[in-house]
Amino acid sequence: MAEMNTGSTQNSHKGGIRSKKLSTRVDMTPMVDLGFLLITFFMLTTTLTKPKVMDLIMPRNDGDPSAIADSKALTILLGANDKVSYYAGMGNDLQHPPKIMNSRFANTNGIRDIILAKRTEVLKRFGKNDLMVLIKADNDANYRNVVDIMDEMLISDISRYAMVDITPEEKAFLKSSF
């Protein structure tokens, strides 16, 4: 706490008594203890930033899978070395294989423009946003590209998309393209 030092010697000058000057010293230990207690209290009671996660809706296991019209579907292929390819439709018709085109991750003239164009086409044709985007990643595709294409779905306001297994024909195309 605080203490006051008093001296017992009395100096007299010319026979008079001089007033005593007392020195004060404040002990800061309790103040420091209180500061650390407050810091600890606020550290333990504050909420740190909550992790931002993406909602993942898994399909149901019961029942038949829903059929999607080729005019409402867009398939995106992710390959090694940041390769992005796409084609309109599902690619299920073996008699008429899809025309696969190449794109890239870019703000202009990239995969986002293709997604938005297909979304606008479906919106005009059917009157609502029924576009279904199928994302197929090769084993050589990196995680960053998968996250980037998920971000493109969010930016482009695509509510229906799915990660689907890639076919051997699509793998062969990705290896031979570029």
Side-chain angles (χ1 to χ4, degrees):
M1 293 297 200
E3 76 184 46
M4 298 185 69
N5 295 329
T6 59
S8 61
T9 61
Q10 294 179 354
N11 296 334
S12 51
H13 295 280
K14 297 181 185 178
I17 297 176
R18 191 168 207 192
S19 66
K20 291 185 194 177
K21 301 230 178 180
L22 303 175
S23 66
T24 58
R25 183 170 104 34
V26 178
D27 186 12
M28 294 298 289
T29 306
M31 185 74 77
V32 172
D33 289 343
L34 179 65
F36 280 112
L37 283 173
L38 286 173
I39 289 171
T40 306
F41 172 76
F42 286 117
M43 281 177 45
L44 295 175
T45 57
T46 58
T47 304
L48 299 177
T49 58
K50 294 183 180 183
K52 296 178 182 176
V53 296
M54 178 185 286
D55 292 332
L56 180 64
I57 301 170
M58 298 298 289
R60 293 175 31 178
N61 289 333
D62 59 340
D64 294 329
S66 60
I68 300 169
D70 275 348
S71 58
K72 293 182 180 182
L74 176 69
T75 302
I76 298 175
L77 308 172
L78 302 175
N81 301 325
D82 299 332
K83 292 180 186 175
V84 180
S85 301
Y86 67 95
Y87 60 88
M90 303 272 295
N92 293 339
D93 188 8
L94 297 176
Q95 301 298 328
H96 301 83
K99 180 183 176 193
I100 302 175
M101 295 176 275
N102 298 321
S103 184
R104 57 196 169 100
F105 287 106
N107 288 338
T108 57
N109 298 325
I111 194 68
R112 182 183 304 164
D113 292 337
I114 290 143
I115 294 168
L116 289 173
K118 183 68 176 180
R119 179 177 170 265
T120 305
E121 175 188 327
V122 169
L123 193 60
K124 284 181 183 177
R125 189 168 176 193
F126 297 101
K128 59 182 180 175
N129 187 7
D130 272 348
L131 176 63
M132 177 67 178
V133 178
L134 302 172
I135 302 166
K136 298 181 178 185
D138 189 18
N139 292 339
D140 297 329
N142 59 20
Y143 182 74
R144 178 177 171 229
N145 289 343
V146 175
V147 171
D148 287 345
I149 201 67
M150 294 292 186
D151 286 342
E152 293 297 335
M153 297 297 115
L154 186 65
I155 292 168
S156 303
D157 193 30
I158 304 299
S159 57
R160 295 175 30 169
Y161 56 92
M163 293 290 295
V164 184
D165 293 332
I166 191 167
T167 64
E169 294 84 16
E170 292 165 338
K171 280 185 183 182
F173 173 77
L174 283 175
K175 297 232 187 278
S176 66
S177 70
F178 290 96

